Amino acid sequence: MLPSSLRAFLSAHLRDYGMLLTLVCIMGFFQAVTSGTLLQPLNLTNLFLQNSYIVVMALGMLLVIVAGHIDLSVGSVCGFVGALAAVLMVEMEWPVLPSLAVCLVAGAIIGGLQGWFVAYLKIPSFIVTLAGMLVFKGLALALLGGQSVGPFPESFQILSSGFLPELVTAADGHPTSLAIGLCLVLAIAVKEFAARRRAAAVGAAPEPWVLFSLRLLAQSGALAGLVWLMASYKGLPTVLLLMTALVALYGFITQRTTLGRRVYAVGGNERAARLSGIPTERVTLLCFVNMGVLAALAGLVFAARLNTATPKAGLGFELDVIAACFIGGASASGGVGKVMGAIIGAFVMGVMNNGMSILGIGIEWQQVIKGLRQRGALAPDPRGRWRGAPVPGGACVSRVDPLTIQSMLLPEDGGANALRRPAQGSGAATCLPCGSGCVRSRASVREALKIKTSSSAAHCPGKA
């Protein structure tokens, strides 16, 4: 019989552990049915190369979805930027670095234009990005003249097909890649310990020590084994290092910055966030600009891998990217989602695609199986996923009634910071940890809506 604290923690984090276990089970299944081919060093390297552009775009799509929007144009933008890179580097013979800069700026402009329509003109993102999907698909076709353009310079191909250079020559293996990979595994373990210590310091319920130890050992062992396998082939791909840096960056942004918390607040309740002083239009605009830049980067990675730009590039990419976010736990209604969940979702899709290709399953049945997998992932609809849910890093977002927030922000009896206790049962603002109406001042309401309070009931503003 499990201790009550362990059962409570597992119940509260069932989806997080469930997605990770799902990925492990899928990998184990395909490893068995492919007679060990899935985890061969060559196939592992190909798995990362094949899914690198999906992972890159999933990071941007996660923020768009968390903010309560969607972007259907990412595949077309990806193909358009690849075509633009081909025109600049192959036909106009531009140097690689200026071409990369122009392509990324083009992605930012595209994202900013679409974000402006969504944020300031209040046109639904579905309509704006659906139009963008058609526009940029046509522009890519026009740039390439209906033909494939290539090959790219070798210095550009390194972006996707290159490997980490070795500082020490060895007859067997790649010691530099192995050392760097193991250092990254150690850094992840240290980060986990630091996060647990921070959670305990603010009074939040930390992960039970037994579960934390087992998870960390299994995680570190799996990552170390993965690094060793890849180091035994050609070393660490440069695109893997790029993905690792982006995951770390976006994990920091979503968990440790005001901008990241505001994205969750806007997706949780845009009206309440606006009343609290958050510039919701600017946050939405930045999410789409970020998505445009990452779609451009993914287009460059994909073009470098193919060593050519084709009119069909990017076709259907948006479906895999959106599916990865939803499989990873993002909510279609906004306000919910984690970076690591999106990454796990991307690799769930990638492992399934790779495993079914090894087994020789036809593309038509692959689509059917992936669709059923997507539906199965969304079927449970756990409590809190489509309403309010904890934000990464221990904060909480509640579906607060905007009228209640407005009344709490207005001065009472002429006092600029007058206290008000919302009446129980009247749709008043409540705190998710304790479920009670909170006595909050004007300043404390703004602090709560900026998502800077702890999710622990012991640190609830209403119990201060």
Side-chain angles (χ1 to χ4, degrees):
M1 192 69 178
L2 294 175
S4 59
S5 60
L6 184 57
R7 289 200 307 271
F9 188 88
L10 286 174
S11 177
H13 296 80
L14 181 61
R15 186 168 186 84
D16 295 337
Y17 289 102
M19 286 310 307
L20 187 58
L21 289 175
T22 298
L23 176 59
V24 171
C25 291
I26 291 174
M27 293 185 68
F29 171 76
F30 282 111
Q31 174 71 359
V33 297
T34 60
S35 302
T37 303
L38 181 72
L39 295 182
Q40 290 291 329
L42 171 60
N43 192 63
L44 277 177
T45 301
N46 288 333
L47 185 62
F48 283 107
L49 295 179
Q50 291 167 1
N51 293 280
S52 55
Y53 55 92
I54 298 296
V55 172
V56 170
M57 286 191 287
L59 294 172
M61 185 65 73
L62 175 70
L63 295 184
V64 172
I65 291 175
V66 166
H69 302 287
I70 198 73
D71 192 343
L72 301 178
S73 67
V74 292
S76 297
V77 173
C78 180
F80 169 74
V81 170
L84 178 61
V87 170
L88 293 176
M89 282 185 268
V90 178
E91 294 185 353
M92 301 178 65
E93 298 183 352
W94 277 33
V96 172
L97 290 181
S99 300
L100 293 179
V102 169
C103 289
L104 293 178
V105 170
I109 293 173
I110 292 170
L113 183 62
Q114 296 190 130
W116 183 78
F117 279 107
V118 174
Y120 293 97
L121 297 186
K122 305 301 180 184
I123 303 176
S125 58
F126 183 90
I127 297 174
V128 172
T129 58
L130 180 61
M133 178 177 69
L134 300 174
V135 168
F136 295 110
K137 187 179 298 183
L139 288 178
L141 188 62
L143 275 178
L144 297 176
Q147 299 178 348
S148 297
V149 176
F152 286 100
E154 291 186 2
S155 56
F156 175 69
Q157 297 177 39
I158 294 175
L159 177 64
S160 181
S161 57
F163 291 85
L164 187 70
E166 292 296 317
L167 302 178
V168 179
T169 304
D172 186 19
H174 297 78
T176 302
S177 294
L178 182 61
I180 292 177
L182 293 178
C183 287
L184 289 175
V185 173
L186 180 61
I188 292 173
V190 171
K191 178 181 176 295
E192 294 277 1
F193 275 105
R196 177 182 172 82
R197 187 163 52 248
R198 284 196 305 269
V202 300
E207 187 177 11
W209 179 254
V210 174
L211 190 61
F212 174 77
S213 301
L214 291 175
R215 181 180 63 80
L216 189 60
L217 285 174
Q219 172 183 294
S220 300
L223 291 176
L226 180 67
V227 168
W228 180 79
L229 286 172
M230 299 187 71
S232 66
Y233 176 55
K234 287 187 177 181
L236 296 179
T238 53
V239 73
L240 177 59
L241 299 178
L242 173 64
M243 288 191 296
T244 302
L246 287 175
V247 170
L249 174 62
Y250 281 87
F252 176 80
I253 289 173
T254 56
Q255 296 181 8
R256 308 283 294 179
T257 67
T258 301
L259 176 61
R261 303 301 176 87
R262 286 180 173 182
V263 172
Y264 283 90
V266 169
N269 192 319
E270 184 177 1
R271 292 178 63 195
R274 186 184 302 112
L275 288 170
S276 74
I278 294 175
T280 55
E281 290 84 3
R282 188 186 307 167
V283 171
T284 299
L285 178 63
L286 289 176
C287 287
F288 278 92
V289 170
N290 174 73
M291 182 71 258
V293 172
L294 290 182
L297 179 59
L300 294 172
V301 170
F302 185 72
R305 181 171 181 270
L306 291 184
N307 195 23
T308 186
T310 67
K312 295 288 186 180
L315 183 63
F317 285 5
E318 62 278 352
L319 302 180
D320 285 338
V321 174
I322 294 171
C325 293
F326 285 148
I327 289 175
S331 168
S333 59
V336 180
K338 294 183 179 180
V339 167
M340 193 50 61
I343 302 305
I344 292 175
F347 280 107
V348 165
M349 300 291 291
V351 170
M352 290 182 64
N353 291 341
N354 184 266
M356 289 188 291
S357 297
I358 294 174
L359 293 175
I361 298 176
I363 186 65
E364 66 279 5
W365 292 109
Q366 289 189 32
Q367 297 297 324
V368 172
I369 293 171
K370 288 193 295 183
L372 293 175
R373 174 67 189 88
Q374 169 78 348
R375 186 64 188 92
L378 300 180
D381 188 20
R383 181 183 177 185
R385 181 176 177 193
W386 307 108
R387 295 177 291 176
V391 170
C396 72
V397 176
S398 59
R399 296 290 188 180
V400 188
D401 179 13
L403 296 179
T404 302
I405 292 298
Q406 188 176 30
S407 67
M408 295 171 70
L409 289 174
L410 293 175
E412 182 179 16
D413 299 329
N417 291 309
L419 296 178
R420 289 195 178 192
R421 177 182 294 278
Q424 295 293 328
S426 62
T430 59
C431 181
L432 287 179
C434 64
S436 63
C438 296
V439 178
R440 289 172 174 159
S441 67
R442 184 174 189 169
S444 65
V445 170
R446 286 206 168 105
E447 286 299 308
L449 287 175
K450 289 181 180 177
I451 321 301
K452 293 183 179 179
T453 56
S454 169
S455 62
S456 169
H459 288 71
C460 171
K463 295 188 177 183

